[in-house]
Amino acid sequence: MSESADVKHAGLGPALSGYPYDAKHLGVECAAIDLAFAKSGQPTSLIVERLEIENTKGESEPESVNVVLGTIPDSKQWGQQSSSNILLRLKQPWASHVKDLLDKGHILTLKNCRVLTRNNNLSVHPYELQLDDGPESKQAHISVMSPRNRLLDKPGIEISLTTIRSASSKRNNKRAETGITAARALKKQKVCSGYIYTPLCELRAGIECNIMAVVVNFTFPKKSRRGDSYIVVTVVDRTNIDAAVQVNIFGPTDDTLPKIRRLGDLIRLHRIKVDSYQGRPSLVYQKTKSSFICIDGRPGQNTEPYSYSTPHYTEVDKEIVASLREWLPEAPIKLIPPDLPQELTSIRNLKRQGKVETVCRVIGITKLLSSGRRYIVVWDGTDIETEGHLIELSKEDCEMLNEDECPENGAYFGVQIDPALLQVVSVSPGDWVHLRNLILMQEEEDNFGYAEDLRVLCSNMKVCGEVMREYVEREDKDSANSEKESSSHEQKETKEKPSSPSANSKPTTRVTNTVRYMTPIHSLKSKYAPCPGKFQLRAKVLSYFPKDITRWCRPVCERCGSGESIKQNANKQLTCSECKSKKKITYHYYFTITLLDATGRQEVIVSRENATNFLQGIPACNLKENEASLKLIRKKIEFILKPESWGHFLVRSYPPSEGNEEDSNIFMLSDTFIDD
């Protein structure tokens, strides 16, 4: 009798049909088992917590096997699940045949078991379960499902008195079809490999476990407070597709951490600790105990690890790898955490305001250009309509796919990527990538994208297939319908588009000492940005400080440089209390403006000659007394604060002052004036 036939014969329904174990909560809960359970016809699914073999006569076959069964952990109900356990007492002939199948972590699905009042000190449940050769056990059925079978999505092995007697009979002495011999062989194999893998949905706080899972996100190495290097890896398996788990992996240096290449690759972790963080399971890699291996998640690729801390890699591991590779192309893996509002979108729907997430294919990668930038040329089968034209990148500057591999339809779109990021990420033409926080940028008439981050994907992931499928469906549409949809899309975009500065409108500020390229504010604040540095921004003025413009000018002593010790006497004469000077005191501008673009905002200091230049030569003075200058300044500020106003700004960065090493860089306006 085959395993699948056993399952059908048992009549236990979907609780035996592999994982995800959707039916486990539909059966009778452990705490609810009572005397009526024996004849209710309802199954219950419980996990093996402990095994004890009783052999009082000293014979080879045990007199009974005591199995402590508990509630199956469910990480989706983390912190809300009530724990309970009950004793299952297996007597002969059940004990001899089941003892080789059971181990800690196995799941038993039970039906029609005998229920007795508790007579043991192994559990606190008021009842206990028993299986023997009596008439009440003739209709009983057990399904045993190992953690390995749950990870491989295989059915459990069903046992009843019928299968036990069949296995014991002479005419079925081979016992291969019952599944019992196969299960014993698997247990022996498991003992040789030495590891049991825990499905991610069954994690429990405080335990130490081994996992094999799919990587759906990972960070680049950072330094912890203690000086260790660490990364955070987010993983799923087929048991927790909607509840990804984070693993914090620590090591003494970056080189000791897993070097994950793609989302969709597989990672095996041994001896990791399960903690609880913010009401969810969190896994911790223990530097002195844990180990890792990383395997390519794409079918047909080498099954040997490409990054590992231990060479130990068994045939059991390879079997799980093959199963996960087979499952991955149809797995609805979410690249974006559910707590974020973004959804995956296409290049076609890229807008100048708002960041999006997209999956696309890399057609080419530029070298480091004279502007200090690098771009990747991407494609997702869609076209993009912009004001102006798409940025043109020379093929001589790009490493491209072969011409016969390049798609003919759909736009090739240049996306700026931080050069330092491209040194960390191993991306090549032909790879599929997840671009994160992608926005549409414009410099003069050139349109291009800017992505804050990217991850390479396994090309067999479902999300890549969906992009290709949508492209093929669009290609197969009737041209008339395509034109109609395009027209409808344009009208919708026109209605929904928020008011924003027109690309053809006149800038309200200009720069006298221009830089060859624009820098997004996000890149301006990047840790990779040069400091001291010079950047040209395309942005609008969001606000200014102080709000009282009369406070923009301050008296400063030219002799000692003090601005805090200036006092005014009864005759309105200014005196420096620091150096007692009266003749070397002049007024200087000092205020800040907050600049805004699609990538963020930044406060910029405007002071001294740069402020005078910004305000078109209005000299610094006592603005509380000079009404004419105050009126002119207010007029200019109102002009640049209009909703439709935008301009070019030259900003210089400087390191924080000594003693304030934790502060961020200082940004000051330079060579910029209001053009009204």
Side-chain angles (χ1 to χ4, degrees):
M1 186 180 294
S2 66
E3 288 186 21
S4 58
D6 286 340
V7 173
K8 184 176 180 181
H9 172 75
L12 292 177
L16 290 176
S17 59
Y19 237 79
Y21 226 61
D22 296 331
K24 67 187 177 187
H25 301 300
L26 300 179
V28 179
E29 294 183 0
C30 181
I33 294 175
D34 55 17
L35 295 173
F37 171 74
K39 298 181 180 180
S40 68
Q42 293 288 323
T44 184
S45 295
L46 304 170
I47 193 166
V48 176
E49 295 183 347
R50 195 167 33 152
L51 284 168
E52 286 190 3
I53 297 177
E54 291 184 358
N55 192 346
T56 56
K57 298 180 181 180
E59 298 178 357
S60 58
E61 294 297 334
E63 181 178 340
S64 66
V65 176
N66 295 327
V67 186
V68 178
L69 301 173
T71 303
I72 301 174
D74 186 357
S75 59
K76 294 181 181 179
Q77 300 184 30
W78 192 263
Q80 303 174 10
Q81 200 175 16
S82 60
S83 61
S84 179
N85 58 27
I86 190 171
L87 178 70
L88 169 64
R89 198 185 301 276
L90 297 171
K91 294 185 175 261
Q92 292 295 354
W94 296 85
S96 297
H97 289 83
V98 176
K99 69 180 178 67
D100 288 334
L101 306 182
L102 294 181
D103 205 341
K104 185 177 179 180
H106 285 47
I107 285 180
L108 293 188
T109 300
L110 309 165
K111 185 177 178 181
N112 299 333
C113 288
R114 186 180 181 186
V115 181
L116 303 172
T117 303
R118 181 173 66 91
N119 184 24
N120 68 85
N121 58 359
L122 299 178
S123 73
V124 295
H125 201 287
Y127 301 99
E128 63 182 48
L129 304 174
Q130 182 169 303
L131 290 174
D132 50 32
D133 61 352
E136 293 179 344
S137 298
K138 287 185 178 180
Q139 301 301 317
H141 296 279
I142 300 179
S143 169
V144 181
M145 183 176 283
S146 66
R148 172 181 166 277
N149 275 10
R150 301 202 290 279
L151 285 173
L152 298 177
D153 197 25
K154 290 186 176 181
I157 296 188
E158 187 269 336
I159 307 166
S160 65
L161 281 177
T162 302
T163 59
I164 289 173
R165 288 166 182 165
S166 176
S168 302
S169 65
K170 291 181 180 180
R171 63 186 178 191
N172 290 309
N173 194 38
K174 293 181 180 181
R175 294 186 286 183
E177 293 184 347
T178 64
I180 295 178
T181 302
R184 286 173 176 167
L186 287 174
K187 183 173 182 180
K188 188 176 295 184
Q189 186 183 47
K190 181 212 69 181
V191 171
C192 293
S193 67
Y195 296 100
I196 297 175
Y197 291 104
T198 301
L200 292 179
C201 76
E202 296 175 12
L203 298 173
R204 288 180 291 176
I207 69 169
E208 191 174 276
C209 66
N210 311 306
I211 66 168
M212 179 85 81
V214 177
V215 176
V216 296
N217 197 5
F218 64 92
T219 64
F220 298 119
K222 299 179 182 178
K223 288 293 183 183
S224 70
R225 294 178 180 177
R226 296 181 179 179
D228 294 327
S229 295
Y230 77 96
I231 61 173
V232 180
V233 182
T234 306
V235 296
V236 299
D237 63 15
R238 54 169 36 101
T239 73
N240 78 325
I241 194 71
D242 294 323
V245 178
Q246 288 189 338
V247 189
N248 296 285
I249 302 180
F250 294 86
T253 64
D254 291 358
D255 292 337
T256 60
L257 301 174
K259 296 175 178 60
I260 301 169
R261 295 175 180 171
R262 298 175 181 84
L263 300 187
D265 279 351
L266 312 178
I267 189 168
R268 189 200 75 182
L269 297 167
H270 281 174
R271 298 176 297 279
I272 55 175
K273 184 180 178 182
V274 184
D275 282 343
S276 181
Y277 179 71
Q278 293 183 349
R280 298 177 64 182
S282 176
L283 305 179
V284 179
Y285 184 93
Q286 304 175 91
K287 289 189 299 182
T288 58
K289 298 176 64 176
S290 304
S291 66
F292 70 83
I293 62 172
C294 300
I295 309 104
D296 198 312
R298 297 171 295 174
Q301 300 298 314
N302 193 344
T303 58
E304 295 300 316
Y306 63 77
S307 177
Y308 55 88
S309 64
T310 173
H312 184 69
Y313 184 54
T314 68
E315 293 301 317
V316 174
D317 294 331
K318 292 180 180 180
E319 184 180 16
I320 299 175
V321 166
S323 175
L324 290 174
R325 281 180 170 181
E326 183 180 353
W327 166 73
L328 184 60
E330 294 304 319
I333 290 176
K334 296 180 179 178
L335 298 178
I336 305 175
D339 53 341
L340 294 181
Q342 298 102 318
E343 294 181 357
L344 287 175
T345 186
S346 64
I347 292 175
R348 178 181 183 178
N349 293 325
L350 192 60
K351 299 178 181 179
R352 199 169 306 284
Q353 290 188 347
K355 301 174 182 178
V356 301
E357 310 279 319
T358 190
V359 167
C360 48
R361 195 178 185 208
V362 177
I363 305 300
I365 306 172
T366 71
K367 62 184 181 182
L368 187 65
L369 305 179
S370 59
S371 62
R373 296 182 179 185
R374 291 192 70 184
Y375 294 85
I376 60 173
V377 182
V378 299
W379 170 93
D380 71 350
T382 65
D383 291 306
I384 181 170
E385 297 179 5
T386 63
E387 299 170 351
H389 54 75
L390 298 182
I391 190 170
E392 295 182 2
L393 300 170
S394 171
K395 288 187 177 181
E396 287 73 19
D397 294 330
C398 291
E399 178 189 359
M400 299 284 291
L401 278 178
N402 296 329
E403 288 190 11
D404 57 343
E405 297 178 289
C406 293
E408 296 181 359
N409 298 319
Y412 288 5
F413 185 56
V415 178
Q416 182 189 347
I417 303 292
D418 194 316
L421 177 60
L422 286 177
Q423 289 181 350
V424 177
V425 179
S426 178
V427 59
S428 304
D431 284 340
W432 286 83
V433 293
H434 173 205
L435 295 181
R436 303 178 176 185
N437 291 336
L438 173 66
I439 58 172
L440 180 62
M441 304 292 293
Q442 185 178 51
E443 290 180 2
E444 303 300 335
E445 293 296 316
D446 288 339
N447 289 272
F448 58 94
Y450 177 83
E452 295 179 3
D453 202 355
L454 71 82
R455 293 293 185 276
V456 182
L457 304 177
C458 283
S459 56
N460 59 310
M461 290 184 73
K462 185 176 182 180
V463 66
C464 302
E466 288 175 345
V467 173
M468 286 299 300
R469 187 159 47 250
E470 290 175 4
Y471 166 64
V472 172
E473 289 174 356
R474 283 192 300 270
E475 289 295 291
D476 291 341
K477 286 181 181 179
D478 181 80
S479 59
N481 290 336
S482 297
E483 290 178 7
K484 182 179 179 181
E485 289 183 5
S486 177
S487 175
S488 172
H489 178 76
E490 287 180 7
Q491 293 175 6
K492 183 178 179 181
E493 288 292 302
T494 302
K495 291 179 180 178
E496 294 181 353
K497 186 175 181 180
S499 60
S500 59
S502 169
N504 298 320
S505 63
K506 180 183 175 183
T508 56
T509 61
R510 295 189 181 276
V511 172
T512 56
N513 184 13
T514 59
V515 178
R516 292 182 59 187
Y517 55 91
M518 298 290 177
T519 301
I521 286 178
H522 176 270
S523 293
L524 182 80
K525 299 189 288 186
S526 168
K527 65 179 180 180
Y528 303 110
C531 184
K534 184 168 66 173
F535 313 91
Q536 187 168 331
L537 314 180
R538 183 185 187 276
K540 72 179 276 71
V541 178
L542 182 65
S543 61
Y544 57 85
F545 184 83
K547 292 298 182 183
D548 182 0
I549 297 178
T550 62
R551 295 172 57 197
W552 282 15
C553 287
R554 304 177 182 180
V556 177
C557 178
E558 296 295 334
R559 176 179 290 178
C560 67
S562 174
E564 303 296 330
S565 57
I566 306 300
K567 306 295 181 182
Q568 190 174 29
N569 58 26
N571 298 324
K572 297 186 178 181
Q573 187 177 20
L574 298 176
T575 303
C576 177
S577 59
E578 191 77 21
C579 67
K580 309 303 180 182
S581 175
K582 295 181 180 179
K583 297 181 180 180
K584 296 292 184 179
I585 297 175
T586 57
Y587 278 89
H588 290 282
Y589 285 108
Y590 191 93
F591 59 94
T592 65
I593 57 174
T594 300
L595 300 181
L596 173 72
D597 71 5
T599 70
R601 64 181 66 187
Q602 177 61 50
E603 188 177 56
V604 176
I605 297 171
V606 189
S607 66
R608 293 187 174 257
E609 291 79 10
N610 285 316
T612 303
N613 182 52
F614 181 64
L615 297 172
Q616 285 187 314
I618 301 175
C621 60
N622 187 345
L623 293 177
K624 293 182 179 180
E625 297 179 355
N626 194 326
E627 290 289 340
S629 294
L630 181 61
K631 185 176 181 180
L632 286 174
I633 293 174
R634 281 177 173 163
K635 184 178 179 181
K636 293 183 181 298
I637 297 303
E638 289 173 1
F639 173 68
I640 62 174
L641 286 177
K642 290 180 180 178
E644 67 275 12
S645 295
W646 63 276
H648 295 152
F649 301 85
L650 192 70
V651 175
R652 297 179 184 269
S653 65
Y654 300 93
S657 58
E658 295 183 5
N660 294 307
E661 295 181 358
E662 296 183 358
D663 291 345
S664 57
N665 293 339
I666 298 170
F667 298 95
M668 303 189 74
L669 192 70
S670 175
D671 300 314
T672 305
F673 66 94
I674 298 174
D675 185 14
D676 58 352

